[in-house]
Amino acid sequence: MLDAADALPKTSKYDRLIAAARACEAAPTMVAHPCDETSLRGALEAAEAGLIVPILVGPEAKIGSVAAEHGLDLTGIEMIDAPHSHAAAAKAVELVREGRGELLMKGSLHTDELMKAVTSSATGLRTERRLSHVFVMDVPGHAETLFITDAAINIFPDLDAKRDIIQNAIDLWVGIGMGTPRVAVLSAVETVTTKIPSTIDAAALCKMADRGQITGGLVDGPLAFDNAISPEAAAIKGIVSPVAGRAQILVVPDLEAGNMLAKNLTFLAHADAAGIVLGARVPIILTSRADSVRTRLASCAVATLYAAARRTAAAVPAV
């Protein structure tokens, strides 16, 4: 008997992203410490799908042993030896700094371990932007792809951090060819009140967008989740806005709220949640051991599309 998740039809939103990425040049990708079946298989499947060119950074003997144990073919795959996970993270970041890779992909090391190497002030991949995470969500029954940000990096972002979080997400949406996004800054209510600080942040962020401090998207808030997603709910509340009821990027007040929202959609609505970190010199692919093949490929596809857009933008001479 099929369970509820199996009974739901799979939408084609990820399929479209993967097809678009296959039409791009596969991006050289530093895969940090792929020393379990899930992370190694994920990198190899993405390579087989034509999405990335993986360069495996980690203990060669251990990677080879995992491949042999699980019947994975490493023929033609470049490997760079590093004795342990700390060294693998540092070496992968170093190779990206040297221009060897356009993407960085998490292997079987902990996210904090990889991000420590990425955020090092001396040897990392930081830019003037704050790093932030975007869940690229395919929710069955919902017509459009949803971005949820930030649910993995910034715990309690201040106003300046939220500006970067929004700009990173807009740049990704535009960069992968999805047009001009409608951005909802979420809170518990749609009115501004000193009793809920996130409503004040939302109002300030909207004014920042009005003044050109946030560009490339339509930004509105504060909006409660129902008013952001449901045209009926927005109409009942009398909210007149190009974003309300039709939001595509959902900006959460803090990591706790974002993590719960993303996981609610994943486990109750049977959504898929691909993940990518933005704001560094290159996009960073974050995958989980619980991710399906389709989700892992979608994460790689989004990163590859964004890398291709950045490559094209860098090739255009400044006026």
Side-chain angles (χ1 to χ4, degrees), residues 4 36 54 62 117 153 178-179 201 224-225 239 247 249 263 267 278 296:
D36 65 3
K62 188 170 184 180
I153 299 292
M178 297 178 71
D201 281 356
F225 181 76
I239 303 171
I249 297 177
K263 287 181 178 176
F267 289 96
L278 306 165
R296 288 197 299 268

Side-chain angles (χ1 to χ4, degrees), residues 182-192 196 198-203 206 218-230 233-235 237-253 261:
R182 298 183 292 273
V183 183
V185 187
L186 298 182
S187 185
V189 294
E190 69 280 359
T191 53
V192 180
I196 306 178
S198 61
T199 67
I200 298 173
D201 281 356
C206 290
L218 302 173
V219 183
D220 193 16
L223 289 170
F225 181 76
D226 57 342
N227 300 326
I229 290 297
S230 167
K237 287 294 182 72
I239 303 171
V240 179
S241 159
V243 174
R246 304 172 61 232
Q248 297 160 314
I249 297 177
L250 304 176
V251 182
V252 297
L261 174 57

Side-chain angles (χ1 to χ4, degrees), residues 24-28 51 102-103 303-316:
C24 299
E25 179 182 345
L51 300 175
E102 291 184 273
L103 301 174
T304 293
L305 285 168
Y306 195 37
R310 287 158 57 100
R311 194 186 308 128
T312 300
V316 175

